[in-house]
Amino acid sequence: MNSKMNKIEQLAVIGTGVIGNGWIARFLAMGYDVVAFDPAEGAAERTRLAIERAWPSLEQMGLAEGASTARVTFVPTIEEAVKNADLIQENVPEREELKKNVLKSIDQYAKPEAIIASSTSGIKPSTLQEGLQHPARLIVAHPFNPVYILPLVELVGGEATTSSIMERANQFYQSIEMKPLIIQKEIEGHVADRLMEALWRESLHLVNDGIATTEEIDAAIIYGAGLRWAQMGPFLTFHLAGGDKGMRHMLEQFGPALKLPWTKLEAPELTNDLKEKVISGCEVHAGDVPIAELEVKRNEFLVKLLDLVEEYWHEPNKVSS
């Protein structure tokens, strides 16, 4: 494959919900043209509004030369959206059969050398490759909301994915200022969502059992673990907890406690009572502040926090001697 065929210039986005629009905003901010398709009524207008909300944060982070909110075009069919694309980002709802059908259409109309990247948060790429004419070029590229700010993208190849496709994808996502995490072994939910799911399940149990309110649980993360995790993550955080001997001492001292039944692990039944506790707790916590205003505050915080993360991030395998 020659260098021109390797180059990613034309981008398509299929499905323009929260994640799809987040991708569009990031792509535009990096100076790309985007062709989008979504059959839902009013999709183009919702995308325009989403880009407008995201743009102040993107301006603060720094726009690429030529970046413009006007460089997105909606088209009426998947064929028209993907026919000239070098990379297609799929973001339809998380229903396996729906995704497979959409991906088959993309695969049918896209150029053979185009990369097809699914934003799926839970489905394994090998499952999505089933029935495709060109399964080798399909990968998972799972981002995190808001996509236009958070840099992590989990890249997962399926049984048919080639190493050259993974390398091209890795280079592309790095080029749009993301932090690709290449998952070596596919698993449902990938890595980051499995970690968040474990915390989410335990949080629901604590609310359900009347141990803590939604606001108290959020405070426990915000002013405790969350601050440390933003810099070091759980493993290096515990490494420091072991004192001068690091993780070795930490496991010796606290390892036995892992046998204690502190966590529930399995999710509680999502009863109407639990739903109301969670919903009412969040509504009380948020008060009268509209979601759109909360998003603005979140974005402002994340942009500032990312600067700190970059300043203090401990690069793996780059410990000074």
Side-chain angles (χ1 to χ4, degrees):
M1 191 177 292
N2 63 41
S3 59
K4 182 173 178 57
M5 292 174 69
N6 273 309
K7 196 168 184 182
I8 294 175
E9 296 178 330
Q10 301 295 319
L11 302 178
V13 172
I14 307 299
T16 57
V18 172
I19 297 300
N21 284 333
W23 278 119
I24 291 173
R26 179 178 279 273
F27 293 156
L28 294 177
M30 295 305 302
Y32 284 91
D33 291 306
V34 180
V35 180
F37 169 78
D38 192 312
E41 184 176 351
E45 176 61 17
R46 286 191 292 274
T47 292
R48 185 186 66 80
L49 293 174
I51 293 169
E52 286 181 2
R53 288 195 298 269
W55 211 249
S57 297
L58 290 164
E59 287 179 321
Q60 189 175 350
M61 294 168 68
L63 301 176
E65 184 178 353
S68 169
T69 60
R71 294 178 66 175
V72 57
T73 303
F74 269 78
V75 293
T77 65
I78 287 180
E79 179 180 6
E80 192 172 349
V82 307
K83 64 182 181 181
N84 295 317
D86 300 309
L87 182 140
I88 301 108
Q89 194 78 42
E90 171 273 313
N91 319 277
V92 302
E94 202 75 354
R95 298 196 297 272
E96 185 176 315
E97 286 309 310
L98 173 62
K99 277 193 179 289
K100 281 185 171 182
N101 288 334
V102 170
L103 289 168
K104 284 178 183 178
S105 294
I106 294 172
D107 187 45
Q108 177 183 353
Y109 296 119
K111 299 183 296 187
E113 68 274 14
I115 295 174
I116 303 174
S118 175
S119 296
T120 179
S121 60
I123 305 172
K124 294 195 293 186
S126 289
T127 300
L128 298 178
Q129 289 175 341
E130 295 170 357
L132 298 186
Q133 298 175 25
H134 306 281
R137 43 85 167 270
L138 182 134
I139 64 168
V140 164
H142 172 234
F144 294 83
N145 184 45
V147 183
Y148 51 89
I149 296 178
L150 294 183
L152 182 63
V153 56
E154 294 178 307
L155 300 185
V156 195
E159 294 176 2
T161 306
T162 62
S163 58
S164 61
I165 289 291
M166 289 296 289
E167 180 57 30
R168 284 180 64 207
N170 185 28
Q171 291 177 3
F172 168 72
Y173 289 109
Q174 286 187 45
S175 77
I176 59 170
E177 300 183 358
M178 301 193 83
K179 301 288 186 182
L181 176 62
I182 297 179
I183 310 301
Q184 300 296 336
K185 186 176 181 180
E186 58 181 325
I187 187 174
E188 292 87 350
H190 321 312
V191 171
D193 271 1
R194 293 178 74 93
L195 297 172
M196 290 190 292
E197 182 74 9
L199 182 61
W200 172 236
R201 290 181 183 191
E202 191 63 24
S203 299
L204 290 176
H205 276 295
L206 292 170
V207 171
N208 195 46
D209 296 344
I211 306 300
T213 65
T214 58
E215 186 171 4
E216 290 166 344
I217 289 170
D218 281 355
I221 296 299
I222 292 168
Y223 298 112
L227 288 172
R228 298 183 300 186
W229 288 345
Q231 182 188 6
M232 294 185 175
F235 280 102
L236 203 57
T237 293
F238 281 140
H239 183 58
L240 268 64
D244 290 340
K245 293 184 179 179
M247 182 63 79
R248 184 176 301 279
H249 177 67
M250 189 272 174
L251 289 177
E252 290 173 354
Q253 182 171 355
F254 299 105
L258 293 174
K259 295 182 179 180
L260 299 176
W262 282 6
T263 55
K264 302 278 190 173
L265 295 182
E266 293 186 2
E269 183 181 353
L270 199 57
T271 62
N272 288 332
D273 182 57
L274 177 53
K275 287 180 182 178
E276 284 306 311
K277 285 182 179 179
V278 172
I279 294 168
S280 62
C282 290
E283 289 175 346
V284 169
H285 189 182
D288 297 326
V289 182
I291 293 294
E293 188 174 332
L294 289 174
E295 287 180 347
V296 170
K297 291 182 177 179
R298 175 202 64 190
N299 291 356
E300 291 174 351
F301 172 81
L302 288 176
V303 170
K304 292 179 180 178
L305 182 60
L306 273 177
D307 288 338
L308 277 175
V309 170
E310 288 297 321
E311 183 178 352
Y312 286 94
W313 165 236
H314 173 81
E315 286 283 355
N317 302 320
K318 291 186 180 178
V319 181
S320 58
S321 57

